[in-house]
Amino acid sequence: MSTHGTPGGRLGHEEGRPNPFASGESRARVVGVSSGKGGVGKSSVTVNLALALAADGHKVGVLDADVYGFSVPAMLGAQAGPEMADGRVLPPEAHGVKVMSMGFFVEDDQPVIWRGPMLHKALEQFLADVDWGDIGFLLIDMPPGTGDIALSMSQYLPASEVYVVTTPQPAARRVAQRSAYMARKLNLPVRGVIENMSWFTTPDGTRYEIFGQGGGAQLAEELNVPLLGQVPLVPALREGGDRGLPVVVGEPESEAAEAFRSLARSLVGLGRARVVREELRIR
Ligand SMILES: Nc1ncnc2c1ncn2[C@@H]1O[C@H](COP(=O)(O)OP(=O)(O)OP(=O)(O)O)[C@@H](O)[C@H]1O
Ligand SMILES: [Mg+2]
């Protein structure tokens, strides 16, 4: 991240500020939301899951790690950008959750053209220079694909957990599986599958499985992790994202909001991952 847009010039990590998520100073559970391909609903799941956790009383931060294709500020309706205090970046809050995104530092219509090392740096700054406070969860909206950000996460966030979002059809499942294998290779534990766009319910109560069925359950079985939740296809979810009022807060009685609350409870129920770092293993 260039410091463009942030008052105060150079940000702190150049002076060696430690990353609280790696040093153990932060007790937050770091939850990466990933998928092999774009458009399956990672960002929608991330923001709604964050709000469902917050509704249950958890303190939550959302880090939009989709540096090129940021969408979290708009989805959360986060209008004000971050402020600086004592050389640290204070993340704005939207609907009670803290948010940080590259979207706060570039104009909406400007492309972000960066090489891998700069992405790596940006992520580091979002972790070390942002005052996340005493959050219990840091949710990370990962960019589509399997590349640089996962690599950075494995270095900066040694205790992070990864959840894979897929749609129900077999093709999506296979792509999602590749991203899960990549995470595992990087030593990031994949802890669950979230199926999105699972079905559509008509007003008369009939369920249509528009994108097929079973992809989430099958992927979960192949990865030997639980299918943590299924989120239905609901127009209100898309509308909520477009309006900056996610369905969990905009239409809390809806089927989708209920699905996210149940997902949030399953995530809490899973508990923290036990981290087995290669370098700590006794040989
Ligand atoms: N369950 C759902 N019901 C209705 N619309 C949905 C649902 N999930 C996602 N959408 C819509 O589908 C589109 C893509 O979702 P989203 O942006 O969350 O996906 P993504 O995986 O983050 O995409 P990208 O890879 O581009 O970052 C959005 O317009 C969103 O509102
Ligand atoms: Mg996205």
Side-chain angles (χ1 to χ4, degrees):
M1 160 170 88
S2 82
T3 50
H4 137 158
T6 58
R10 285 156 68 93
L11 292 179
H13 79 101
E14 280 124 352
E15 291 98 56
R17 176 172 286 136
N19 158 14
F21 300 98
S23 68
E25 185 195 321
S26 171
R27 294 289 301 149
R29 258 179 83 182
V30 180
V31 169
V33 179
S34 112
S35 78
K37 64 173 193 163
V40 298
K42 285 174 303 299
S43 304
S44 305
V45 166
T46 307
V47 302
N48 282 289
L49 177 59
L51 295 175
L53 285 164
D56 272 347
H58 300 282
K59 291 188 183 167
V60 184
V62 179
L63 170 53
D64 184 355
D66 194 346
V67 170
Y68 298 118
F70 52 84
S71 58
V72 168
M75 275 188 182
L76 273 172
Q79 274 152 13
E83 291 185 7
M84 296 288 293
D86 298 330
R88 303 206 70 188
V89 183
L90 300 178
E93 285 198 16
H95 308 294
V97 302
K98 295 183 174 165
V99 200
M100 188 46 64
S101 170
M102 187 47 73
F104 294 130
F105 300 94
V106 296
E107 296 298 325
D108 233 359
D109 53 356
Q110 295 301 306
V112 178
I113 304 170
W114 278 357
R115 295 180 192 280
M118 288 172 76
L119 290 180
H120 194 68
K121 201 93 214 158
L123 190 70
E124 183 188 14
Q125 292 194 288
F126 283 162
L127 295 169
D129 298 333
V130 172
D131 186 359
W132 289 100
D134 62 342
I135 51 172
F137 286 89
L138 180 66
L139 267 52
I140 304 191
D141 181 14
M142 295 169 69
T146 51
D148 293 315
I149 291 291
L151 196 62
S152 302
M153 273 178 72
S154 72
Q155 292 182 16
Y156 293 137
L157 298 164
S160 51
E161 314 165 24
V162 170
Y163 295 81
V164 182
V165 179
T166 185
T167 53
Q169 73 262 47
R173 189 191 88 227
R174 281 194 295 276
V175 181
Q177 189 176 40
R178 280 204 290 276
S179 80
Y181 288 160
M182 159 66 99
R184 283 199 171 155
K185 255 200 181 133
L186 295 172
N187 249 335
L188 296 169
V190 176
R191 301 202 65 213
V193 170
I194 301 163
E195 190 184 82
N196 187 27
M197 311 190 188
S198 298
W199 57 76
F200 174 75
T201 312
T202 59
D204 70 4
T206 315
R207 262 191 194 184
Y208 289 96
E209 285 160 337
I210 294 172
F211 293 113
Q213 58 144 141
Q218 233 174 315
L219 178 61
E221 196 184 312
E222 284 159 14
L223 297 172
N224 198 23
V225 297
L227 172 62
L228 218 56
Q230 289 178 291
V231 180
L233 187 73
V234 279
L237 201 156
R238 190 213 31 90
E239 287 157 17
D242 289 348
R243 275 196 304 149
L245 190 63
V247 71
V248 164
V249 288
E251 296 197 24
E253 303 307 321
S254 64
E255 190 188 2
E258 183 50 48
F260 284 116
R261 281 193 296 270
S262 150
L263 177 63
R265 284 167 199 165
S266 301
L267 180 78
V268 172
L270 267 188
R272 210 169 265 287
R274 267 188 55 231
V275 187
V276 183
R277 299 289 289 176
E278 277 303 314
E279 58 271 28
L280 298 180
R281 204 168 257 168
I282 300 168
R283 286 163 212 279

